[in-house]
Amino acid sequence: MKTVYSPDHAAHAGHWEVARGAMVPCFEKPIRAEYVRARVEEVGLGEIVLPKVWSMETARKVHDPAYLAFLGKAWDMWAAEGNHTSALPMTWPVRGLRNDVPPECIEGLLGFYSMDAGASITAGTWKAVKASMDCALTAAEIVAGGARAAFALCRPPGHHSGPAFMGGYCFINNASVAAQWFRDQGAARVAILDVDYHHGNGTQDIFYERGDVFVANIHGDPKTEYPYFLGHADETGRGAGEGCNVNYPLPFGTAWDTWSLALDAACDRAEAFGAEVIVVSLGVDTFERDPISAFKLKTADYPKMGARIAKLGKPTLFVFEGGYAVDEIGVNAVGVLTGFEGR
């Protein structure tokens, strides 16, 4: 299995985030991708290749072009005001405020185009975000070219990013861009299987009214877990998308025996949908020692996860998302891939 990786991911290194009422060092940091890449090499998973440079054409089909333009200029606007550390929002257009008139200043735009204070922007953020998307599209092209699977080692991650907002460390929704690209190449139906601990709210939002992309999320119950405001079991799609969205919210402490039942159900639904291609949003923050999550999956469970996805027998793109137990992140993420390959 080929891995698509860009060293440009390291250009994005936020100084801090807001968590539990405090400014803390970012959990999402460059070393995450380096540990995964090192593990890919250690097990001999396959060739590691650099991404091609892609246009923003496909991204504009799942994201508001104005939002993408904002991402490209945000740091320059922030720095022009004399700022030198991470840009973070502090005001949001919540209920009762208008959200139809974008502010002209960077402080207002940061809130207008975000869902939380967890996606900091630095001087190198756009470079890394663009490279992350390029990794996803290059890996998708490898799969479309006949490979059974490919791994996009994307960083920053993407699944919390919606049509016109960033958040949860995410800026461009890499899995959604890849799914759209598969559709544009002729795949009639695509399934996105999100196994990250946190609900992929951005992915759900992007495809919620579409019947050509099926989205399944297995995640912490939003009644008690981030992102709190999406991911309930009664969210099944709308209009043409009715029945094309399924959520499996699970309680704190969920271990493999219960989690795997949700995976079985999600895979069965994807198969019944008639998906021609599977896109896996691969987060490994389901791990028992993840510092910001509360499931209890063990390292030995991740190859079983990959083996179950392999049973679908479909061309599969793995897109890297979350996972913050850095010491184990490479073993767990690559364990899914080796399990998929039947090692």
Side-chain angles (χ1 to χ4, degrees):
M1 182 188 305
K2 286 185 177 180
T3 294
V4 186
Y5 160 88
S6 171
D8 287 348
H9 79 86
H12 172 68
H15 299 90
W16 50 62
E17 63 181 85
V18 177
R20 298 181 177 91
M23 298 292 286
V24 300
C26 292
F27 289 101
E28 203 293 294
K29 48 194 174 184
I31 195 66
R32 297 174 61 249
E34 295 306 314
Y35 275 35
V36 176
R37 181 188 58 81
R39 183 62 176 175
V40 167
E41 294 176 340
E42 182 181 352
V43 304
L45 182 70
E47 184 181 4
I48 299 176
V49 300
L50 294 171
K52 292 171 49 178
V53 177
W54 294 75
S55 76
M56 300 302 295
E57 177 183 0
T58 306
R60 293 189 185 101
K61 295 181 180 180
V62 298
H63 289 293
D64 181 349
Y67 165 65
L68 295 174
F70 159 75
L71 289 179
K73 67 184 180 182
W75 176 257
D76 288 342
M77 294 181 69
W78 181 251
E81 296 194 355
N83 299 304
H84 304 288
T85 57
S86 301
L88 286 171
M90 60 174 290
T91 307
W92 290 270
V94 298
R95 291 180 295 275
L97 298 181
R98 292 185 64 174
N99 62 3
D100 61 325
V101 182
E104 295 180 355
C105 64
I106 183 59
E107 290 85 357
L109 286 169
L110 286 166
F112 185 81
Y113 286 122
S114 67
M115 61 174 275
D116 63 14
S120 59
I121 291 177
T122 70
T125 295
W126 176 248
K127 181 179 182 180
V129 167
K130 177 60 167 57
S132 188
M133 183 197 77
D134 289 345
C135 285
L137 287 170
T138 301
E141 187 176 58
I142 291 170
V143 172
R148 181 184 180 218
F151 176 38
L153 212 180
C154 294
R155 183 187 169 271
H159 72 150
H160 292 306
S161 173
F165 61 83
M166 58 189 181
Y169 315 136
C170 302
F171 301 89
I172 289 179
N173 195 309
N174 303 305
S176 293
V177 173
Q180 180 63 52
W181 185 85
F182 280 125
R183 284 285 295 113
D184 292 344
Q185 301 309 302
R189 292 191 163 199
V190 178
I192 300 177
L193 176 60
D194 193 320
V195 298
D196 191 281
Y197 174 78
H198 301 95
H199 178 257
N201 59 288
T203 309
Q204 173 172 311
D205 190 8
I206 287 168
F207 295 111
Y208 202 64
E209 297 185 5
R210 289 176 53 171
D212 55 339
V213 178
F214 173 77
V215 178
N217 270 274
I218 307 169
H219 55 281
D221 193 326
K223 289 183 289 186
T224 56
E225 188 54 87
Y226 179 92
Y228 303 113
F229 308 114
L230 210 64
H232 298 280
D234 64 352
E235 298 160 10
T236 58
R238 182 184 302 117
E242 178 60 47
C244 296
N245 190 86
V246 60
N247 289 320
Y248 300 94
L250 300 172
F252 285 175
T254 293
W256 175 256
D257 286 352
T258 298
W259 193 95
S260 63
L261 296 178
L263 177 62
D264 283 337
C267 288
D268 288 345
R269 287 286 300 271
E271 191 166 27
F273 175 73
E276 298 174 13
V277 182
I278 308 296
V279 177
V280 180
S281 273
L282 178 57
V284 291
D285 43 2
T286 48
F287 182 54
E288 60 183 342
R289 290 195 290 276
D290 193 274
I292 61 173
S293 306
F295 284 172
K296 297 299 180 184
L297 270 63
K298 300 180 181 300
T299 292
D301 296 327
Y302 291 98
K304 293 183 285 187
M305 185 188 301
R308 178 61 185 91
I309 295 169
K311 285 185 178 180
L312 288 168
K314 302 295 183 182
T316 303
L317 169 64
F318 292 92
V319 177
F320 191 50
E321 301 283 3
Y324 309 99
V326 174
D327 289 344
E328 297 90 354
I329 192 171
V331 174
N332 293 339
V334 178
V336 177
L337 307 177
T338 56
F340 180 91
E341 291 195 325
R343 298 194 188 186

